[in-house]
Amino acid sequence: MEKISETDLILNADGSIYHLNLLPEDIADTVITVGDPDRVGEVSKHFDTIELKKGKREFITHTGTLSGKRITVLSTGIGTDNIDIVFNELDALVNIDLKTRMVNSQLRSLNIIRIGTSGAVQADIPVDSLLVSEGAFGLDALMHYYMQDMMDEEKLLLTAFISALPPYGLKPYFAPAGGRLLAKLAHDLPQGITITAPGFYAPQGRQVRAQSLTPGLMESIQQFNYAGKRITNLEMETAGIYGLAASLGHQAVSFNVILANRANHVFSKDPSGVMEKYIGEILQRIVSA
């Protein structure tokens, strides 16, 4: 194995990883990711102890313990471009010797749990509910830059989705949740397939002022059904999280707090309160698993 160059893996003057500003000892085996930097404190306020608070740009990290379990909560910002940074740097912290720039002989697998907001695309999914992504179609380009191993059934599912889309020129990919973590934390919760979009407006079928080149995108998403599987919700990170986690040997699961229903045009009346409720419930699942 060759030494990783200083320009491929950039470190700060104190030896911390470039964007996250973290050292290997700062990271727990259980990592919660949130998009909003302000949500980090909303998670860590439940901890019994907080040993570390660090931040750089939109990447805020708190590490502490809850019921004896060490947990890191980290903000990613919005979108899979940030997921590319966060997941590669998280992996480097636990699987690369930053002094020698060599990959460790023993690799460490993280359990990564996303707690994020999302919009349902099916009329029967209630606002203020919790939905878990069993897998995700990415409409972004991130995983076209990385090697992926796909099961035959996943390839068939992806092919069916591509065939169901009008000729927009989109090149979606598919990535599943980490099976062990999904079974451990979410076996009793509603699950579905998530769409990860590279934007919030036209890429999610919204029409404001700028003219969309993908009319009918929402209808195609809502009507998709393959072997009883349907698309349940839209957001902006899950497919990248699942794809990169699998490529790097980590387990990942995405919890979606449904704040909007796009089919019914309804938005939550208490988004902060609903998020607070589910943060507590998800933390209890994590420490009880």
Side-chain angles (χ1 to χ4, degrees):
M1 181 70 68
E2 292 185 3
K3 182 177 179 179
I4 300 169
S5 80
E6 293 184 5
T7 53
D8 283 347
L9 181 63
I10 304 171
L11 303 179
N12 297 312
D14 63 354
S16 62
I17 203 80
Y18 186 56
H19 296 92
L20 300 186
N21 196 35
L22 297 174
L23 296 165
E25 59 266 27
D26 295 336
I27 296 296
D29 288 333
T30 297
V31 179
I32 296 170
T33 67
V34 297
D36 184 352
D38 290 339
R39 196 173 296 144
V40 173
E42 294 302 306
V43 175
S44 68
K45 73 181 184 183
H46 294 272
F47 293 177
D48 299 320
T49 64
I50 299 176
E51 67 186 70
L52 171 119
K53 290 185 177 182
K54 284 187 177 180
K56 184 179 179 182
R57 305 187 189 190
E58 62 264 59
F59 308 116
I60 306 299
T61 303
H62 294 179
T63 295
T65 59
L66 177 62
S67 300
K69 189 176 188 70
R70 191 168 185 250
I71 301 171
T72 293
V73 56
L74 164 65
S75 62
T76 64
I78 297 174
T80 56
D81 51 347
N82 279 8
I83 295 302
D84 180 61
I85 292 169
V86 170
F87 274 59
N88 276 290
E89 294 195 0
L90 277 177
D91 181 75
L93 286 167
V94 299
N95 287 320
I96 296 172
D97 185 321
L98 300 186
K99 293 184 173 64
T100 66
R101 296 181 171 275
M102 302 290 287
V103 176
N104 297 334
S105 57
Q106 294 290 324
L107 297 181
R108 181 173 157 194
S109 181
L110 299 172
N111 289 324
I112 303 171
I113 300 112
R114 173 187 177 267
I115 303 177
T117 60
S118 185
V121 300
Q122 304 295 344
D124 61 334
I125 299 173
V127 168
D128 298 340
S129 64
L130 185 65
L131 178 75
V132 180
S133 305
E134 63 179 274
F137 291 120
L139 301 184
D140 62 296
L142 178 61
M143 291 310 298
H144 296 310
Y145 291 89
Y146 294 96
M147 292 184 64
Q148 271 187 287
D149 290 326
M150 295 182 67
M151 305 287 287
D152 288 343
E153 61 190 46
E154 294 165 359
K155 293 177 182 178
L156 291 172
L157 178 64
L158 177 59
T159 298
F161 179 58
I162 292 171
S163 299
L165 288 172
Y168 299 139
L170 301 176
K171 295 182 180 180
Y173 61 89
F174 179 79
R180 293 194 304 275
L181 197 58
L182 182 69
K184 184 183 292 187
L185 297 182
H187 63 90
D188 58 339
L189 290 175
Q191 299 180 13
I193 297 175
T194 296
I195 291 284
T196 294
F200 187 77
Y201 289 96
Q204 292 190 31
R206 290 182 169 92
Q207 179 64 62
V208 186
R209 263 191 11 94
Q211 190 65 36
S212 172
L213 287 176
T214 56
L217 176 62
M218 180 60 69
E219 289 78 7
S220 298
I221 288 169
Q222 290 169 324
Q223 294 167 12
F224 175 76
N225 190 297
Y226 175 77
K229 293 184 179 293
R230 65 176 185 165
I231 295 165
T232 50
N233 63 303
L234 288 159
E235 51 73 80
M236 294 179 63
E237 291 90 32
T238 295
I241 287 172
Y242 283 2
L244 266 183
S247 294
L248 293 165
H250 305 295
Q251 289 280 303
V253 67
S254 178
F255 288 89
N256 303 276
V257 178
I258 303 298
L259 295 185
N261 186 295
R262 299 290 300 283
N264 299 329
H265 306 288
V266 176
F267 193 82
S268 175
K269 298 296 188 291
D270 184 21
S272 297
V274 172
M275 176 58 75
E276 171 69 15
K277 168 190 171 184
Y278 287 124
I279 285 172
E281 290 186 13
I282 293 165
L283 284 171
Q284 285 307 307
R285 287 176 178 269
I286 292 169
V287 298
S288 301

